[in-house]
Amino acid sequence: MGLQPLEFSDCYLDSPWFRERIRAHEAELERTNKFIKELIKDGKNLIAATKSLSAAQRKFAHSLRDFKFEFIGDAETDDERCIDASLREFSNFLKNLEEQREIMALSVTETLIKPLEKFRKEQLGAVKEEKKKFDKETEKNYSLIDKHLNLSAKKKDSHLQEADLQVEQNRQHFYELSLEYVCKLQEIQERKKFEFVEPMLSFFQGMFTFYHQGHELSKDFNHYKMELQINIQNTRNRFEGTRSEVEELMNKIRQNPKDHKRVSQFTAEGYLYVQEKRPAPFGSSWVKHYCMFRKAAQKFNMIPFEHRSGGKLGDGEVFFLKECTKRHTDSIDRRFCFDIEAADRPGVSLTVQAFSEEERKQWLEALGGKEALFHSFNRAIIPRPEGSAQLDQTGFTILRKCISAVETRGINDQGLYRVVGVSSKVQRLLSVLMDVKTCNELDLENSVDWEVKTITSALKQYLRSLPEPLMTYELHGEFIVPVKSGSPESRVNAIHFLVHKLPEKNKEMLDILVKHLTNVSNHSKQNLMTVANLGVVFGPTLMRPQEETVAAIMDLKFQNIVVEILIENHEKENRRREGNTLSLWNQTINSIYFMGRRDSVFGRRKVSEFSNILYIEK
């Protein structure tokens, strides 16, 4: 299991587990930073110490062999596995070079040392600075909340309102900083795979130019180098697509954090300050707890957690709720308070304090307390609004018209489907296509009014506007599972099986589209649209997830692979279908022939008629 994704919605909840996941990411980056620092040192020794070249090579090889990339999510792609294994492959090549024991001077400063130093200073250094800001803002935020909650309710309303505004502004600033920090943490985890391996690849390529006796080894390495370059490029392309999706999700959550709360097993959860009474004359203290409540079981769970003490979890407490009552300011010198009574402690109430009046109302509603307002603490997943696009006869007409126009006019255009059209033109064309009358009259193949990039963008927009993705929400997870593990053959078989589980209309439209994409990839020398590039473009379009989360976005790379498998194996599947049809045709002819032997005239006539029918259908 790799590093867990950091959900942007959790920035607003700031739970203990969210903090644990952040620390795991920070620890991994620190480990990477130390490793790169050590690797740079080893590389400089390799350049300077020619007399001890063999020893330096051996240590360098060991450093490479012992390092392993961590990944976000629960599985890696084949490209990422290859990138991960590349360091060990590099280590093996170094051992082979060591046998030659030739003293040589290597000019690797530009190809290895500087890029690694730049990556360490600009990328990892930037994360360190962000961490300092984040930790400082955490301290400031919760200190201000502590101070704010200690304000007496008897102070002037204007003073209290000004204090409330100040706290809210500070909290919003903290959330903004938290979002940016989470985004940066995950970006650097993904970026390091290619930013770090590419200098290593350049370094090894440079080494071979200095080894006359290593010429044959260089030839052997060339094939692996080409494959690794493809792996790196694929990973980079997927990273770019993932980063844009992550940033889009972050902006959505920044604008409406309440509308993107994750579905939770708890009816309500969040931080509350719990009053802990002490013997006289010490009074009482307020301790921050992370609280969780399940309404079905009336089960309330409290865990003490203090951000400023390193975020260590304390021993929790669990009890069953009996009732909840709002506290008024005339009964306690603190605002936003309410009482909780446990079922096993009749007559003994627990006083807790929320961060704000709005949060108190949410807790009261969830706990069934008095003066509760209807406000769902955990919103359900907001379904995507259905557009006018439908999987009907008009949709098939749109698909065929666009495909025919693309294959006639722009099959060799560079960046086909990656170069987007002007948004206003795309919407105008889509409106024309959506109208049955104008759609039938429109001739895209010979029209000069619509550019190829406008047509391709309209086709993609139509597929994205369908109420449900072409490969359905129901089968989304099943399509992802086989590409995370298993042999290439088993993946193809699994995807083939799942495609035949799709509804007939979905399957028919997918077949038309994939056949077209296969044709596009066959012209990749001209249009530069390889199968991998088409996977990046159409993966999110054909297999968009039902819920937008960082974890779902991290699965984009596997969606791309599913589309790649469909394109790469489309022609094989067609040949298999044709073989089955021909076999069935021959079997049917033979059956009718042997039946007809009992009546030669009738038999010959039936064989002739049925053969003609099958021939026409075939």
Side-chain angles (χ1 to χ4, degrees):
M1 188 67 182
L3 295 171
Q4 295 187 32
L6 300 174
E7 298 294 346
F8 294 120
S9 57
D10 285 345
C11 293
Y12 293 83
L13 204 56
D14 201 20
S15 69
W17 299 273
F18 176 62
R19 288 290 178 147
E20 290 290 340
R21 291 194 290 272
I22 284 181
R23 281 195 294 277
H25 279 256
E26 290 171 347
E28 168 57 22
L29 290 182
E30 182 60 27
R31 188 171 73 95
T32 302
N33 183 50
K34 290 180 179 179
F35 172 73
I36 293 176
K37 191 175 181 180
E38 182 68 18
L39 194 61
I40 291 172
K41 178 182 176 182
D42 294 340
K44 289 180 178 179
N45 289 337
L46 189 60
I47 297 170
T50 55
K51 292 182 180 180
S52 57
L53 180 59
S54 295
Q57 283 183 342
R58 190 179 304 111
K59 187 177 186 305
F60 195 66
H62 289 171
S63 297
L64 292 174
R65 184 194 62 193
D66 295 339
F67 183 76
K68 177 177 175 57
F69 286 113
E70 286 292 350
F71 58 92
I72 298 177
D74 56 1
E76 294 176 289
T77 64
D78 289 342
D79 294 317
E80 289 172 329
R81 291 190 189 97
C82 184
I83 288 176
D84 184 33
S86 64
L87 299 184
R88 290 182 288 280
E89 291 292 333
F90 294 148
S91 175
N92 293 333
F93 284 120
L94 266 181
K95 291 178 181 178
N96 293 332
L97 289 174
E98 183 188 347
E99 296 175 358
Q100 300 179 20
R101 296 183 182 276
E102 290 189 5
I103 299 177
M104 55 184 169
L106 300 175
S107 301
V108 296
T109 302
E110 296 296 327
T111 59
L112 176 67
I113 305 301
K114 286 187 177 179
L116 288 183
E117 287 179 336
K118 181 180 179 182
F119 175 75
R120 181 170 168 268
K121 291 178 181 178
E122 295 183 2
Q123 299 298 330
L124 296 179
V127 172
K128 280 190 175 182
E129 292 299 319
E130 290 291 331
K131 182 182 185 305
K132 291 179 183 178
K133 292 180 183 178
F134 180 69
D135 291 341
K136 183 179 178 181
E137 195 62 28
T138 298
E139 168 69 23
K140 178 182 176 183
N141 180 60
Y142 287 104
S143 295
L144 189 59
I145 289 175
D146 287 349
K147 181 179 177 182
H148 178 64
L149 294 177
N150 281 314
L151 285 176
S152 172
K154 297 178 181 179
K155 289 185 176 292
K156 293 182 179 180
D157 288 344
S158 60
H159 181 77
L160 293 176
Q161 289 174 2
E162 182 180 353
D164 288 348
L165 179 61
Q166 181 183 1
V167 169
E168 185 58 30
Q169 289 176 345
N170 190 75
R171 288 180 73 182
Q172 290 302 320
H173 178 65
F174 170 69
Y175 292 150
E176 287 283 332
L177 194 64
S178 181
L179 286 170
E180 295 291 343
Y181 184 52
V182 164
C183 185
K184 188 66 177 177
L185 276 176
Q186 297 188 120
E187 177 182 331
I188 197 68
Q189 294 286 11
E190 292 292 301
R191 181 186 290 275
K192 69 180 183 182
K193 296 173 185 175
F194 51 84
E195 291 280 6
F196 177 67
V197 175
E198 277 185 326
M200 293 301 309
L201 186 59
S202 299
F203 163 72
F204 277 91
Q205 185 60 28
M207 282 189 68
F208 291 125
T209 62
F210 291 93
Y211 276 90
H212 176 70
Q213 295 181 5
H215 177 66
E216 291 301 320
L217 182 61
S218 178
K219 287 169 58 177
D220 294 339
F221 177 74
N222 197 48
H223 177 70
Y224 177 77
K225 182 197 73 171
M226 296 299 295
E227 288 187 350
L228 182 57
Q229 285 176 332
I230 293 172
N231 296 139
I232 292 173
Q233 189 58 46
N234 289 343
T235 305
R236 183 188 290 275
N237 290 342
R238 289 170 186 146
F239 164 77
E240 294 296 338
T242 301
R243 183 175 64 173
S244 63
E245 292 285 339
V246 168
E247 290 176 350
E248 182 180 350
L249 176 59
M250 182 181 69
N251 291 330
K252 287 181 181 178
I253 292 180
R254 176 186 284 137
Q255 294 169 7
N256 296 295
K258 294 179 181 178
D259 293 340
H260 289 82
K261 286 184 177 179
R262 299 178 63 196
V263 177
S264 172
Q265 59 179 318
F266 301 107
T267 309
E269 61 178 316
Y271 285 101
L272 293 173
Y273 279 80
V274 179
Q275 185 183 36
E276 294 186 354
K277 297 180 180 179
R278 298 179 181 178
F282 299 106
S284 62
S285 63
W286 294 82
V287 181
K288 186 165 59 180
H289 288 67
Y290 193 81
C291 301
M292 298 155 286
F293 176 66
R294 288 191 182 93
K295 191 168 186 177
Q298 290 291 296
K299 192 175 182 180
F300 198 92
N301 191 358
M302 301 190 310
I303 301 174
F305 186 83
E306 180 53 62
H307 293 82
R308 292 172 296 181
S309 62
K312 295 182 179 179
L313 289 170
D315 296 330
E317 182 181 358
V318 181
F319 58 84
F320 291 95
L321 179 71
K322 180 180 179 182
E323 64 178 8
C324 171
T325 308
K326 177 181 177 180
R327 288 288 294 269
H328 294 283
T329 53
D330 55 356
S331 64
I332 189 170
D333 193 27
R334 282 203 173 205
R335 298 184 299 160
F336 320 137
C337 294
F338 57 96
D339 289 340
I340 298 173
E341 185 175 338
D344 57 344
R345 306 174 199 168
V348 179
S349 63
L350 191 68
T351 301
V352 297
Q353 182 183 28
F355 282 3
S356 65
E357 181 61 30
E358 182 183 359
E359 291 186 16
R360 176 168 68 170
K361 290 177 182 179
Q362 294 175 16
W363 276 104
L364 287 172
E365 192 278 329
L367 299 175
K370 299 176 182 178
E371 299 189 28
L373 296 178
F374 183 78
H375 186 99
S376 176
F377 210 92
N378 287 300
R379 297 173 182 257
I381 300 172
I382 301 175
R384 294 172 179 267
E386 292 192 8
S388 57
Q390 297 295 330
L391 199 60
D392 53 13
Q393 190 58 45
T394 301
F396 278 93
T397 303
I398 292 172
L399 187 74
R400 290 190 175 99
K401 276 183 173 290
C402 290
I403 287 175
S404 177
V406 171
E407 294 191 348
T408 302
R409 298 171 51 192
I411 195 69
N412 293 322
D413 288 3
Q414 288 190 5
L416 188 65
Y417 284 109
R418 295 206 76 161
V419 179
V420 297
V422 179
S423 179
S424 57
K425 289 185 178 180
V426 173
Q427 290 299 330
R428 194 160 67 248
L429 174 58
L430 202 55
S431 299
V432 174
L433 290 169
M434 290 289 187
D435 190 318
V436 178
K437 295 181 180 179
T438 54
C439 180
N440 292 331
E441 296 173 358
L442 184 62
D443 182 9
L444 288 178
E445 292 184 23
N446 300 303
S447 175
V448 295
D449 297 329
W450 308 106
E451 299 173 292
V452 172
K453 62 181 181 181
T454 304
I455 298 172
T456 55
S457 297
L459 173 57
K460 290 187 293 183
Q461 184 61 41
Y462 161 73
L463 294 171
R464 284 194 292 265
S465 300
L466 290 172
E468 188 175 14
L470 204 57
M471 297 175 74
T472 73
Y473 291 133
E474 182 182 358
L475 295 177
H476 180 88
E478 295 185 47
F479 273 110
I480 295 294
V481 169
V483 299
K484 290 185 175 181
S485 60
S487 64
E489 184 179 355
S490 65
R491 294 176 185 178
V492 173
N493 292 336
I495 299 301
H496 165 78
F497 172 76
L498 291 170
V499 166
H500 284 273
K501 289 178 67 176
L502 290 171
E504 283 302 320
K505 286 186 177 180
N506 297 61
K507 187 166 59 176
E508 183 182 351
M509 182 169 286
L510 182 64
D511 183 66
I512 296 171
L513 179 63
V514 173
K515 180 181 179 181
H516 165 61
L517 296 181
T518 304
N519 189 23
V520 173
S521 67
N522 290 337
H523 292 77
S524 60
K525 288 185 178 180
Q526 293 79 30
N527 59 37
L528 306 182
M529 292 304 292
T530 61
V531 172
N533 288 338
L534 290 171
V536 171
V537 173
F538 282 91
T541 300
L542 300 180
M543 293 185 64
R544 68 176 185 267
Q546 191 165 13
E547 184 182 5
E548 289 184 290
T549 64
V550 173
I553 292 173
M554 290 303 166
D555 278 343
L556 273 177
K557 53 193 175 186
F558 298 111
Q559 296 171 198
N560 301 346
I561 294 172
V562 172
V563 175
E564 290 175 26
I565 290 173
L566 290 174
I567 297 172
E568 287 175 342
N569 295 275
H570 183 263
E571 293 181 354
K572 297 177 185 177
E573 173 65 12
N574 281 345
R575 287 197 295 269
R576 190 193 66 78
R577 288 181 189 171
E578 290 175 1
N580 290 344
T581 303
L582 185 60
S583 175
L584 177 62
W585 183 64
N586 289 333
Q587 291 174 19
T588 308
I589 292 294
N590 290 334
S591 299
I592 296 176
Y593 175 75
F594 286 115
M595 290 173 58
R597 290 180 63 183
R598 290 173 295 179
D599 182 350
S600 59
V601 176
F602 172 79
R604 285 194 297 270
R605 187 170 69 248
K606 289 298 179 185
V607 168
S608 176
E609 291 174 357
F610 201 78
S611 298
N612 289 334
I613 293 172
L614 286 178
Y615 179 77
I616 293 171
E617 290 182 348
K618 176 174 175 293

